């Protein structure tokens, strides 16, 4: 166990404006600081800790995985947990194949390469462009930041990766030049914007018509967060590729690309890879997480909490003139407030509630999927107090 922190270190690269408290313990939907003060978590480590903290099943899976003595072998050799998880994901989705990696951005970068290779196979080198939507967030690596609609993330790194565009779709989707369109069914960082089912259906039609791949980024909104394993299930469309990451291994780093056989045909050994992806330790834990988040009882619970959240937030909106709009699905909600979001987040911290913003005036609510009705109500009460 490492010693508790005293002074703030300047050894870490200063990329994050971190809150001052230091968390040393977690249980259920609470984190505890060095003083033993409990903080109710409406952030889940930004949509990662779907099963909350100190979950006995997760703990058991971690111990089982450690007890094999095989944390890592590299992808030179076969190991069972990754193969088993891939089979589960294929059975539960549109996909025929799965590629494992270590984060969300890495999953999207992988999906971009797969789309490019497929484009080359079906249409030659010209068919290489990837299009993302206004408001999108797909990650901070070179390809993904080019597909992310935040000037402050993009501009300091120009020139960005070529052939990746943020645009108005109908005009730019070209059968000759476009290989893929990438969309978050619910934009997370972009302000919890639920993309309408009708839009997604029309996009699916258009991409099919023009022989363009549809990539769904469910890194934040997928894996049970909206009350179904995948968010696309509620829309009634199927993508060609889908990326997931955050909650996959209960906080251990993991990501994945799910893809159809038609896209997989374009990829040959050596076309892509990663040292750690799908290793036996992380994949063993991820098997446990998948079994839990695909349990109909948990999904039913998320849908019940969606109703509770909807009612509670409607009450807040009725009472508070500082709330401009409320939107969301499942346990992923965005609330537009008149004050700067960072002020509301800071005041919530005083109430011992953890929140995260999504833009200058939007608060994101992402509690663990296992949250109960009482904690949900308590959190919303603290949130209302923080709104002021
Ligand atoms: N895509 C979406 C929709 C995300 O919300 C995120 C992270 O917030 C990413 C991609 C990037 O994931 P990571 O931070 O694991 O690279």
């Amino acid at each position: 166990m490492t010693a508790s922190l005293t002074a703030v270190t300047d050894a870490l690269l200063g990329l994050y404006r971190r809150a001052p408290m230091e968390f040393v313990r977690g249980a259920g939907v609470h984190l505890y600081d060095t003083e033993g003060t409990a903080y109710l978590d409406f952030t889940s480590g930004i949509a990662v800790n779907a099963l909350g903290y100190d979950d006995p099943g997760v703990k058991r899976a971690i111990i089982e995985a450690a007890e094999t003595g095989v944390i890592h072998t590299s992808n030179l050799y076969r190991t069972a947990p990754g193969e088993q998880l891939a089979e589960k994901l294929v059975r539960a989705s549109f996909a025929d194949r799965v590629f494992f990696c270590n984060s969300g951005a890495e999953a999207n970068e992988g999906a971009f390469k797969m789309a490019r290779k497929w484009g080359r196979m079906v249409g030659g080198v010209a068919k290489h462009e990837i299009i993302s939507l206004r408001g999108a967030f797909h990650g901070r690596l070179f390809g993904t930041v080019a597909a992310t609609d935040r000037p402050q993330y993009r501009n300091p790194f120009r020139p960005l990766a070529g052939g990746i565009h943020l645009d108005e779709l109908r005009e730019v989707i070209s059968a000759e030049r476009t290989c893929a369109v990438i969309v978050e069914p619910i934009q997370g960082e972009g302000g919890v914007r639920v993309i309408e089912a009708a839009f997604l259906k029309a996009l699916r039609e258009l991409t099919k018509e023009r022989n363009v791949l549809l990539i769904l980024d469910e890194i934040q909104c997928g894996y049970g967060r909206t009350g179904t394993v995948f968010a696309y299930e509620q829309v009634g469309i199927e993508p060609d590729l889908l990326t997931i990451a955050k909650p996959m291994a209960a906080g251990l780093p993991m990501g994945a690309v799910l893809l159809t056989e038609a896209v997989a045909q374009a990829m040959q050994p050596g076309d892509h890879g990663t040292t750690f992806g799908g290793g036996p330790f992380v994949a063993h834990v991820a098997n446990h997480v998948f079994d839990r988040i695909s349990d109909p009882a948990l999904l039913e619970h998320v849908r019940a909490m969606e109703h509770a959240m909807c009612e509670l937030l409607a009450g807040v909106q009725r009472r508070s003139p500082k709330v401009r709009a409320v939107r969301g699905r499942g346990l992923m909600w965005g609330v537009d407030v008149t004050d700067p979001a960072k002020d509301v987040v800071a005041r919530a911290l005083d109430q011992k509630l953890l929140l995260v913003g999504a833009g200058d005036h939007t608060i994101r609510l992402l509690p663990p999927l296992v949250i109960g009705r009482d904690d949900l109500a308590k959190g919303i009460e603290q949130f209302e107090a923080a709104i002021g």
Side-chain angles (χ1 to χ4, degrees):
M1 211 51 197
T2 47
S4 205
L5 295 174
T6 46
V8 174
T9 180
D10 56 9
L12 276 176
L13 183 61
L15 295 176
Y16 310 106
R17 277 184 283 275
R18 286 174 152 176
M21 67 282 178
E22 177 199 346
F23 288 129
V24 290
R25 194 168 74 79
V29 293
H30 292 93
L31 277 169
Y32 295 82
D33 69 9
T34 45
E35 313 286 294
T37 305
Y39 289 75
L40 179 55
D41 185 5
F42 265 41
T43 299
S44 303
I46 319 185
V48 170
N49 301 320
L51 301 177
Y53 299 92
D54 202 29
D55 178 89
V58 169
K59 209 147 71 174
R60 201 175 334 107
I62 290 171
I63 292 165
E64 284 164 5
E67 278 177 344
T68 65
V70 187
I71 306 287
H72 174 77
T73 59
S74 86
N75 281 307
L76 294 171
Y77 313 106
R78 291 184 67 190
T79 47
E83 295 192 17
Q84 287 160 353
L85 180 60
E87 282 176 1
K88 287 179 192 175
L89 289 167
V90 163
R91 273 199 301 275
S93 74
F94 70 96
D96 303 303
R97 303 289 187 105
V98 178
F99 167 74
F100 290 120
C101 56
N102 310 284
S103 71
E106 198 191 336
N108 284 337
E109 296 273 342
F112 289 178
K113 281 182 68 181
M114 292 170 202
R116 280 261 169 103
K117 193 82 195 307
W118 173 86
R120 184 176 284 238
M121 181 177 80
V122 302
V125 284
K127 194 172 172 70
H128 71 275
E129 290 182 357
I130 295 164
I131 300 167
S132 66
L133 260 62
R134 292 283 167 206
F137 182 95
H138 297 296
R140 310 287 203 104
L141 300 180
F142 250 100
T144 46
V145 85
T148 287
D149 189 12
R150 285 275 195 104
Q152 70 270 34
Y153 295 166
R154 298 160 61 83
N155 292 345
F157 303 101
R158 287 183 186 281
L160 300 171
I164 302 176
H165 307 284
L166 285 161
D167 239 310
E168 302 307 330
L169 293 172
R170 200 162 282 278
E171 285 87 73
V172 296
I173 295 179
S174 149
E176 288 74 37
R177 292 187 316 276
T178 313
C179 66
V181 177
I182 181 166
V183 186
E184 298 154 83
I186 302 178
Q187 293 185 335
E189 305 288 319
V192 193
R193 310 216 168 262
V194 183
I195 308 287
E196 278 179 31
F199 177 91
L200 288 173
K201 281 186 174 144
L203 181 61
R204 178 68 283 192
E205 285 301 301
L206 191 65
T207 48
K208 273 199 177 141
E209 226 174 84
R210 299 190 187 172
N211 200 23
V212 167
L213 300 176
L214 178 64
I215 307 172
L216 291 183
D217 175 342
E218 294 209 8
I219 287 162
Q220 190 162 152
C221 68
Y223 241 54
R225 178 112 333 243
T226 65
T228 46
V229 175
F230 301 105
Y232 76 80
E233 293 170 44
Q234 295 177 44
V235 179
I237 57 160
E238 289 191 341
D240 302 291
L241 300 102
L242 177 131
T243 52
I244 45 177
K246 289 171 176 290
M248 279 191 82
L252 300 173
M254 191 175 207
V257 184
L258 278 58
L259 59 153
T260 61
E261 186 58 34
V263 182
Q265 285 295 319
M267 298 299 282
Q268 307 302 326
D271 277 344
H272 193 51
T274 178
T275 297
F276 294 116
F281 183 87
V282 76
H284 181 79
V285 179
N287 268 283
H288 176 77
V289 174
F290 182 79
D291 295 345
R292 295 279 297 282
I293 65 101
S294 59
D295 179 347
L298 181 81
L299 296 169
E300 178 57 43
H301 171 76
V302 174
R303 291 194 292 271
M305 290 305 101
E306 168 176 355
H307 290 301
M309 186 76 115
C310 213
E311 274 173 27
L312 290 163
L313 288 176
V316 176
Q317 191 171 16
R318 252 192 331 269
R319 289 184 293 274
S320 176
K322 288 191 169 186
V323 171
R324 284 210 212 111
V326 171
R327 56 188 171 266
R329 292 276 188 280
L331 284 173
M332 178 171 184
W333 288 78
V335 179
D336 292 345
V337 287
T338 50
D339 286 351
K342 65 178 177 23
D343 295 351
V344 177
V345 171
R347 293 199 294 263
L349 216 51
D350 295 337
Q351 301 277 327
K352 313 301 175 214
L353 174 70
L354 303 179
L355 293 177
V356 62
D360 294 341
H361 289 275
T362 304
I363 304 292
R364 239 179 315 171
L365 308 177
L366 297 163
L369 303 186
V370 294
I371 194 166
R373 205 171 283 270
D374 290 350
D375 284 322
L376 198 66
K378 182 165 176 233
I380 296 300
E381 199 182 304
Q382 290 168 321
F383 176 43
E384 188 167 359
I387 291 169

